[in-house]
Amino acid sequence: VEELGAGGGRLDRIYVATETSDSGSLEEAWRRKPNPGMVVEALRDFGVGGENAMIVGDSLTDLKAAAGAGVKCRILVLTGHGREAFGPQFDPGTAKFPFAVTAENRNSFFGASFRMECFENIVPFVVFENFEKVVDTLKDIYRLA
């Protein structure tokens, strides 16, 4: 959070699902990823529609929650759990970042045993090396200092 502030950013709110997947209420279960509850809640709280929102996550379940909430711009970072999303044939050392994963090219990134049908609605999405690269790209796009 300190680094975010030092860079001119701020953190307005944190959303957390506190119950485990097999305990708690239906409402709390709706909030647990890959369900879209927390994303829907954030969109409502900030008065933003999914077409005007962006989700940056480090797992395919983050992207699935975003897609379920109608968020059109979905970004996966390879830090955290992001690298685990790809099959062993994917070599981030040879990738040209950022890149898009689409319905047409997804098989080249995910192993044959990966059950993509569970995550069908998340493509397309964009992959970055890390969150810092996402921020740098957005600064360039929007000409921010």
Side-chain angles (χ1 to χ4, degrees):
V1 175
E2 290 174 11
E3 288 180 35
L4 186 64
R10 68 176 200 247
L11 185 61
D12 291 325
R13 199 161 299 151
I14 297 173
Y15 294 84
V16 178
T18 57
E19 300 290 333
T20 61
S21 59
D22 52 347
S23 68
S25 67
L26 286 176
E27 179 182 350
E28 191 64 23
W30 168 249
R31 296 181 79 242
R32 291 190 61 77
K33 297 180 296 183
N35 295 318
M38 284 191 289
V39 179
V40 169
E41 192 177 325
L43 293 173
R44 182 195 67 226
D45 289 353
F46 288 96
V48 177
E51 67 282 354
N52 294 316
M54 172 189 304
I55 293 287
V56 179
D58 72 345
S59 73
L60 295 180
T61 55
D62 293 337
L63 302 188
K64 185 167 179 138
V71 174
K72 302 295 182 215
C73 183
R74 297 178 294 275
I75 298 173
L76 179 72
V77 291
L78 293 185
T79 49
H81 299 287
R83 176 62 183 92
E84 298 167 13
F86 293 92
Q89 77 283 3
F90 174 69
D91 179 5
T94 62
K96 183 171 173 18
F97 292 99
F99 64 87
V101 175
T102 66
E104 293 77 25
N105 72 3
R106 69 179 182 212
N107 291 335
S108 64
F109 298 110
F110 300 101
S113 62
F114 183 76
R115 296 185 55 220
M116 190 65 190
E117 67 272 9
C118 296
F119 295 94
E120 190 67 38
N121 67 340
I122 68 170
V123 292
F125 62 89
V126 179
V127 180
F128 280 81
E129 304 100 303
N130 56 51
F131 187 71
E132 182 180 359
K133 297 290 187 180
V134 175
V135 172
D136 289 346
T137 299
L138 292 174
K139 284 180 177 179
D140 287 346
I141 290 170
Y142 294 105
R143 306 283 191 261
L144 302 172

